[in-house]
Amino acid sequence: MNDSVEPSSSPNPGVSRRTVVKGAAWAAPVIAVAATAPVAAASIPPCIVGLTNDSQNWVVDNARYEEPGHTCRTYREHRDVRLRFHVAACDTPVTIQVRNVPGNSTWCGWNSVQLYLLKTIAANQAGDLVFPSTGDRPGTITNGYSAQSCDITAYESVNDGLHINPCAPNGPYFQYRVSYDYAGDVNTATWTQWFNWGNSTLVPPPPN
C-alpha cells in the first residue's frame, strides 16, 4: 500500500474531530472540484476540508470504456480521474477507503470487479491523500491482495487512474468512507457511511 501523503499547500493550526463535529461539520461544506469546474456542495466527514479531481480534463483518446457487461459504445473515449482528499490536521489519524462502482467505474482496465484502496494520514498532520497514485494496488475490502487487481501506473497507460464510464452520466463514479480509529484491521475500525461522488457535472462525458 502506498499512502502517498502529500503536504498541505497551506499550514493548518489543527482540527479536533470532536470540535468539528460540535461545529456542525456535516452541514454541507464546499468541495473544490477544479479551478474551472462548477463547485459542488456536499456533506463530507470531519477533518476532510475538500476533494479535488486532479484529472478533470483527462480525455483518453480512442480508448472506449470496455468494462465487461458495461461497454460504452456511444463514445470513442473515456475519462480517468485521480481524486485528492484535502485533510486538515486532526487529533486522530484519518483513514479513507475508496471503492469503484461496477458499471460506472473500474480501477483496472478492463474488469468488472469492485476493488478498494485505503490510505491513512497520521494524527496532527495536514496533507493530501490521492486516489489512486502511481504504485498503488487496489485490493479487497479488508485491504488484502486481489488477483484481479492491478498496479496503478503513470499516465498515459492502461491502469493510470479510475476509469469513468461516460455511458453512466449520473454516477456515482466512486464511493468513500472514513475512519478515525483504524489501527490496521478494517473489521474492527469504526467507519462512516459510504459517500457517493461523481456525475456529469463533475466529470463531463467526452465528445462523441
Side-chain angles (χ1 to χ4, degrees):
M1 180 184 69
N2 180 1
D3 277 4
S4 306
V5 177
E6 300 185 11
S8 177
S9 57
S10 59
N12 189 295
V15 177
S16 164
R17 179 173 65 89
R18 290 178 288 275
T19 299
V20 173
V21 172
K22 182 179 178 181
W26 301 89
V30 170
I31 296 179
V33 178
T36 59
V39 175
S43 182
I44 58 175
C47 302
I48 297 177
V49 295
L51 173 55
T52 304
N53 178 3
D54 276 358
S55 48
Q56 175 71 22
N57 295 313
W58 265 9
V59 175
V60 184
D61 296 329
N62 300 315
R64 296 183 189 275
Y65 188 85
E66 297 285 358
E67 179 185 352
H70 304 281
T71 300
C72 180
R73 294 296 179 188
T74 304
Y75 302 95
R76 65 178 181 272
E77 302 163 336
H78 71 277
R79 286 180 184 261
D80 292 345
V81 300
R82 291 197 180 192
L83 279 298
R84 182 180 297 270
F85 289 82
H86 307 291
V87 182
C90 197
D91 62 354
T92 66
V94 177
T95 299
I96 301 173
Q97 187 175 46
V98 172
R99 67 184 181 187
N100 65 303
V101 179
N104 296 353
S105 62
T106 180
W107 295 104
C108 304
W110 296 97
N111 64 38
S112 192
V113 178
Q114 188 163 60
L115 297 171
Y116 299 75
L117 192 57
L118 180 150
K119 299 186 179 187
T120 298
I121 190 166
N124 303 308
Q125 178 181 341
D128 295 344
L129 293 177
V130 179
F131 293 81
S133 294
T134 301
D136 286 343
R137 185 179 180 89
T140 66
I141 191 170
T142 56
N143 204 32
Y145 174 82
S146 171
Q148 296 173 299
S149 185
C150 60
D151 294 320
I152 301 299
T153 50
Y155 181 78
E156 174 178 347
S157 58
V158 174
N159 298 319
D160 54 12
L162 188 60
H163 306 293
I164 299 301
N165 184 357
C167 290
N170 296 321
Y173 296 129
F174 79 87
Q175 298 171 318
Y176 69 94
R177 63 179 181 171
V178 182
S179 175
Y180 304 95
D181 63 1
Y182 172 77
D185 188 338
V186 171
N187 292 324
T188 60
T190 304
W191 294 93
T192 66
Q193 69 190 68
W194 286 100
F195 293 88
N196 292 331
W197 183 92
N199 55 38
S200 59
T201 300
L202 299 176
V203 185
N208 286 318

